[in-house]
Amino acid sequence: MDKRLLKLIQPGFGLFFAVFLLFSLACAFFSILLSAAGVALCGALFWLYRIRNRYRKRQMSEYLEGLHIEVDGSERDTLSSFPIAAVVALATTGEILWCNPEFDGLTGQKDGALGARIHELAPGFDTRWLIEGKKQYPAELKMNGRFFQIYGNLIRGEQHAGMMMTLYFLDSTEFVTLRGQFESTRPAVSIISIDNYEELTKNATDSEKSAVLAEVDKKIGEWAKDSRALLRKYDRDKYIFVLEEADLQKLVNGKFSVLDEVRTIQSRDGIIATLSIGVGKDGETFEENYRYAGLALEMSLSRGGDQAVIKNKYAFEFFGGLSKEVEKRTKVKSRVVANALSQLIRDSSQVLVMGHAMSDTDSLGAAVGMVCAVRSREKPVHVVINGDRTLAGDLLHKMEAMQQYKGVFISPEEAMVVCDYNTLLIVVDTNRPDYVESPSLLESINKVAVIDHHRRAASYIEDSALNLHEPYASSTCELVAELLQYMVPNRTIMREEAECLLAGIYLDTKGFSIKAGVRTFEAAAYLKRAGADMVAVKKLFQSSFDEYMARQRIIAAARTCGEGVVVAISNTETSRAIAAQAADELLDIIGVRASIVAFPSGQDTIVSARSLGKVNVQIIMERLGGGGNLSSAGAQLVGVPLGEAEGRIMEAIRQYQEEFKKSS
């Protein structure tokens, strides 16, 4: 940097004069004459400094106006007449040392902007981008009601690098306005579906059916009337809703209130109407938005309905979903899936069955049921399981001891070796690719079938050859037991296999007390006829004295969060099974509707949640990065200590309770 310029930007001496004046005044305690002389000298020096400072600023202006910049490589002009607002300021403080008339005009400062700080004129402005070597400010800067794109660079000297910065302000107000109009008017496509149309109209007369559907139409119409949108009913239970982004945001801010409004409609038989809404946005075309809307609606239905889901290019966003799933009494889908799965097995060279990591009784029982189905078609079959990381160790050892199951259970590493291009992989008891026993095995196999009862999360196994996903079901074992009725001949299923399936149902229903519907007991009756012994099943869930005492210590640490939710934070590391059992036992307390247990596991925190059905613990766990279903869910907070995890858990509960109060 030029030595002349370095002299021009030397700091002021305001502090020096202030100290000098205070010292002179203090001398009055010793000599009035000496103090007066000091004050006079201080005033004279300050007057001289002000003259020199004005002269210095004038020199600065003359120096900068003498700097030349090139335009189009040939024409030359000075900064003072540059048509774009330009500023030279101290990089450390943001003090404006010089600016051209264009910048004075855009700031609206009566006395000019010289001497002011950029941060005062434009709150929030920072100079980190210049330090990082960037030439353009990463966002539009708002100043005096207008928006600007800022370009700049640091003026570096040999000894005083980064002491000054040059900034150029390009007015982009019109561009920002047009961009905002474009984003607010982007189209979104929504598909609205009546979840329980058949149940609402069953056993109803024509007039009653018309009255119920007319009331639903009215609620949806009133909800959509304030939007500049197109709403049309294109099927007996479906609507198409085309709207703009700005109107969609209004509906989002209202948390899709139509879900609550429609829930007030009730049929003669006491069936409450519910809606599922799928919204697709940010697509390149209407066709792409419509496809996103279909995926969002499918996601909503797979999570139990009575909720709205927004799908864009990258993710899902969920609203509602606080009500309990409605059991579907028809088994038509099970029969169709059984036939399709049988065909897939026949067309495959071998079958691998895989559950979720840290497999439990439901996961292992469903896998054993699939082994029975594949064995009846005389195809090679293996169950992929990590025997060292399972919550169903006793059941696994029991099955491994059987002659028919010698070599059936293999590790994920062995499965990677035996699989080929025509292998069928059946994933049970999970629909999330990151939750399976071996994600790498899932990615390696092209032909995948999924059987699960958990509510679908934002990440799920896509492009599966077959998908049986029923969130109303009590367990995956219930679904598998229904499939076996159509896939294997009578008496083909062995007693031990029937007991595995019954144990999975027993686990997820808490002894047939939670989420046990008509079809649950029908599946249990089928397994009972196959020879399953309930006493043998119950013995699988017995615990030792030490495990019992560990559960009681967790229960003793429980405290209420209001609204029937209790939380137990255990400071000592324990097993997932004991934590889940403690959460189950907490539900036996009068007034408790949901229980959440958390405990440390190394550097992580494990959370297990249970509910009687009134509280949707899946939504609470999803806020923590986990998942599950309405009555049973969990999460693993990786790298989060127990103290921090406790705060996150309490905040997730608070948010859920607020949403539940609004919907109620």
Side-chain angles (χ1 to χ4, degrees), residues 341-342 344-346 348-353 366-383 405 408 424-426 451 480 483-484 487-489 492 497:
L341 184 57
S342 298
L344 282 174
I345 294 173
R346 281 193 294 267
S348 304
S349 60
Q350 63 175 331
V351 177
L352 298 178
V353 187
V368 168
M370 284 293 97
V371 170
C372 175
V374 177
R375 186 180 65 244
S376 66
R377 279 150 185 79
E378 299 179 351
K379 292 285 185 177
V381 59
H382 295 283
V383 176
Y405 277 80
V408 170
L424 171 64
L425 175 64
I426 303 177
I451 304 173
V480 172
L483 294 178
L484 289 178
M487 294 182 68
V488 300
T492 300
E497 292 171 333

Side-chain angles (χ1 to χ4, degrees), residues 165-437:
M165 60 183 176
T166 306
L167 304 176
Y168 305 95
F169 292 73
L170 274 70
D171 194 332
S172 59
T173 305
E174 185 177 357
F175 167 76
V176 173
T177 303
L178 290 175
R179 185 181 62 190
Q181 292 176 354
F182 169 74
E183 292 177 349
S184 64
T185 57
R186 291 202 67 182
V189 178
S190 174
I191 302 175
I192 304 173
S193 174
I194 303 175
D195 292 332
N196 47 356
Y197 176 85
E198 297 293 343
E199 288 79 3
L200 283 171
T201 58
K202 188 177 181 180
N203 300 326
T205 64
D206 291 341
S207 60
E208 291 172 341
K209 184 189 302 184
S210 300
V212 170
L213 297 179
E215 188 67 20
V216 174
D217 292 343
K218 181 181 177 183
K219 294 290 186 183
I220 297 176
E222 290 177 349
W223 172 69
K225 69 178 181 180
D226 294 331
S227 303
R228 299 165 297 176
L230 170 67
L231 175 65
R232 288 293 182 270
K233 187 174 185 178
Y234 70 93
D235 201 351
R236 61 178 186 175
D237 60 345
K238 287 185 175 60
Y239 306 78
I240 189 77
F241 188 34
V242 182
L243 67 165
E244 294 180 347
E245 178 68 26
D247 294 316
L248 175 60
Q249 288 305 314
K250 293 178 183 177
L251 302 181
V252 168
N253 294 336
K255 303 292 184 182
F256 289 90
S257 58
V258 69
L259 298 173
D260 301 327
E261 294 167 3
V262 170
R263 213 178 294 126
T264 61
I265 302 172
Q266 191 171 352
S267 70
R268 183 187 62 179
D269 295 335
I271 304 298
I272 297 175
T274 60
L275 295 180
S276 287
I277 303 175
V279 181
K281 69 172 192 172
D282 297 341
E284 298 296 331
T285 62
F286 276 100
E287 188 275 334
E288 189 172 10
N289 279 337
Y290 182 75
R291 182 164 55 85
Y292 287 163
L295 292 173
L297 181 63
E298 181 183 347
M299 173 68 77
S300 175
L301 294 171
S302 67
R303 290 165 60 88
D306 190 25
Q307 58 191 285
V309 178
I310 298 177
K311 169 77 171 74
N312 57 24
K313 286 185 177 181
Y314 309 105
F316 291 92
E317 190 175 0
F318 304 100
F319 300 88
L322 303 178
S323 62
K324 189 176 180 180
E325 305 98 336
V326 178
E327 180 183 14
K328 296 178 177 60
R329 294 174 180 265
T330 176
K331 295 185 181 181
V332 174
K333 186 174 182 179
S334 296
R335 183 168 65 251
V336 172
V337 170
N339 293 333
L341 184 57
S342 298
Q343 187 63 45
L344 282 174
I345 294 173
R346 281 193 294 267
D347 295 341
S348 304
S349 60
Q350 63 175 331
V351 177
L352 298 178
V353 187
M354 178 170 63
H356 55 76
M358 293 297 295
S359 56
D360 57 11
T361 307
D362 187 32
S363 174
L364 181 57
V368 168
M370 284 293 97
V371 170
C372 175
V374 177
R375 186 180 65 244
S376 66
R377 279 150 185 79
E378 299 179 351
K379 292 285 185 177
V381 59
H382 295 283
V383 176
V384 182
I385 188 171
N386 188 339
D388 297 328
R389 291 176 56 84
T390 179
L391 302 178
D394 293 341
L395 187 59
L396 177 61
H397 298 325
K398 176 182 177 180
M399 298 307 297
E400 284 179 328
M402 295 178 60
Q403 181 64 34
Q404 294 85 344
Y405 277 80
K406 293 295 183 182
V408 170
F409 298 99
I410 61 175
S411 66
E413 293 76 16
E414 293 173 318
M416 291 291 292
V417 175
V418 302
C419 69
D420 58 31
Y421 73 96
N422 198 26
T423 296
L424 171 64
L425 175 64
I426 303 177
V427 177
V428 295
D429 204 31
T430 184
N431 59 71
R432 299 182 63 170
D434 51 335
Y435 275 30
V436 297
E437 191 77 74

